[in-house]
Amino acid sequence: MKAGQSRSRFIRLTFSYAVLTVIAICCLYPALWVLLSSFRPGTSLYSDSFIPKTFTLSHYTELFHSKVFLYGRWYLNTLKIAFLSMIFSTILSTMSMYALSRFRFKGRKTLLTTLLVLGMFPGFMSLVPVYIFLLQLNLLDTHAAIIIVYSAGSVLMNGFVIKGFFDTIPRSLDESARIDGANHLQIFYRIMLPLARPILIYVALTTFAGAWVDFIFARLVLRSKENWTLAVGMWDLVSSYQNSNFTMFAAGAVLIAVPITLLFVFLQKFLVQGLTAGASKG
């Protein structure tokens, strides 16, 4: 019996590791191909060898020295939009969901139901009305329009995750703080925010990553080349067959991945805590 159980366990572990190995190869191979292509001479993405025979940094230098390809400008634009969207969306989502979690008021359940229903629809369905709304406000081709939409839209994506975390915090902490004379703002700032740090970091990271790589809405709103984000600019680099430069595109893609990779590496501890805590709904 024990020998059969050990054999069965060994088979399950072997199969699990085999599946994980295949998944890891499928994930790492494209990333390694793009990384190595960024050092490959020429402009073609195709090569007869996986590892380049010669390495060059010319594609990286060309990104920032080209007068037509404004990579440095687009990088700063994207960094500004992603950072401000992360700050505003985290503040908006945290304050609104704290109120919905801790307070009871007329229309609360209706508001929660409305947010839940709206969150079921894909975001691109609202592109036309949002475009018309921004047109009426003369906000087209501005970074402010992108930041406003990203910040407000994040409430639907991350709101219930934050609310689920706040619901798990015992209300006895609020009551004890009120007995000690604390008001609602002090409770929120001194008690709730420190306890909610893992979920707030998770929301901030996902919002930053979403704004960093978004293409559809940025392409719709931003018209002038100087205001483009990285996603729009990189698409323009390879959209024309006559002017496509896939190796320079690969170099740009590698640099795009640097901020996201660093954030996830240094904050992965809080990210895992936020994922597990936000999955619990009280």
Side-chain angles (χ1 to χ4, degrees), residues 46 103 233:
Y46 172 78
F103 301 146

Side-chain angles (χ1 to χ4, degrees), residues 22-248:
V22 172
I23 294 175
I25 293 174
C26 293
C27 294
L28 293 177
Y29 182 81
L32 288 176
W33 180 269
V34 172
L35 177 63
L36 294 175
S37 297
S38 66
F39 298 104
R40 181 178 292 116
T43 61
S44 176
L45 191 61
Y46 172 78
S47 176
D48 56 356
S49 61
F50 180 73
I51 300 177
K53 297 178 181 178
T54 58
F55 288 81
T56 178
L57 294 175
S58 61
H59 305 305
Y60 288 93
T61 57
E62 188 178 357
L63 284 174
F64 296 96
H65 291 88
S66 174
K67 296 182 179 179
V68 179
F69 193 63
L70 309 177
Y71 187 83
R73 181 71 175 270
W74 298 337
Y75 207 98
L76 293 178
N77 291 342
T78 310
L79 186 62
K80 178 183 72 173
I81 292 173
F83 179 77
L84 293 179
S85 298
M86 177 186 68
I87 298 297
F88 293 144
S89 64
T90 304
I91 294 174
L92 182 62
S93 300
T94 304
M95 296 184 69
S96 59
M97 291 303 153
Y98 172 75
L100 290 173
S101 174
R102 280 347 225 195
F103 301 146
R104 298 296 182 267
F105 50 88
K106 187 177 180 180
R108 173 179 171 274
K109 291 186 177 180
T110 303
L111 180 58
L112 286 172
T113 303
T114 303
L115 291 175
L116 181 62
V117 172
L118 290 176
M120 296 178 180
F121 295 94
F124 65 84
M125 292 183 63
S126 62
L127 288 180
V128 174
V130 169
Y131 178 86
I132 296 175
F133 183 72
L134 295 175
L135 178 62
Q136 297 297 323
L137 296 177
N138 294 323
L139 288 176
L140 288 179
D141 198 24
T142 64
H143 294 162
I146 303 287
I147 295 171
I148 291 173
V149 174
Y150 287 165
S151 302
S154 67
V155 177
L156 296 176
M157 296 185 294
N158 300 317
F160 283 95
V161 179
I162 299 177
K163 181 184 178 300
F165 185 89
F166 281 139
D167 289 343
T168 61
I169 299 177
R171 291 184 175 274
S172 58
L173 294 177
D174 304 43
E175 297 171 356
S176 300
R178 290 194 188 96
I179 293 175
D180 293 336
N183 55 34
H184 291 299
L185 183 60
Q186 290 173 330
I187 294 173
F188 173 73
Y189 179 73
R190 296 185 177 181
I191 298 178
M192 293 299 173
L193 287 186
L195 292 175
R197 183 174 59 175
I199 198 66
L200 296 184
I201 292 178
Y202 163 74
V203 169
L205 279 176
T206 53
T207 304
F208 183 92
W212 184 262
V213 300
D214 179 67
F215 167 77
I216 297 177
F217 187 71
R219 175 60 179 163
L220 178 69
V221 175
L222 302 177
R223 302 303 179 88
S224 59
K225 198 169 186 177
E226 293 76 13
N227 291 333
W228 280 358
T229 60
L230 281 172
V232 180
M234 295 291 285
W235 170 83
D236 183 72
L237 176 64
V238 295
S239 60
S240 175
Y241 181 80
Q242 292 79 11
N243 300 322
S244 58
N245 191 329
F246 289 103
T247 48
M248 192 164 71

Side-chain angles (χ1 to χ4, degrees), residues 1-21:
M1 178 69 70
K2 292 183 178 180
Q5 291 178 349
S6 299
R7 189 181 303 107
S8 177
R9 184 173 179 270
F10 175 78
I11 293 174
R12 288 198 303 268
L13 286 176
T14 303
F15 178 76
S16 299
Y17 282 117
V19 172
L20 291 175
T21 302

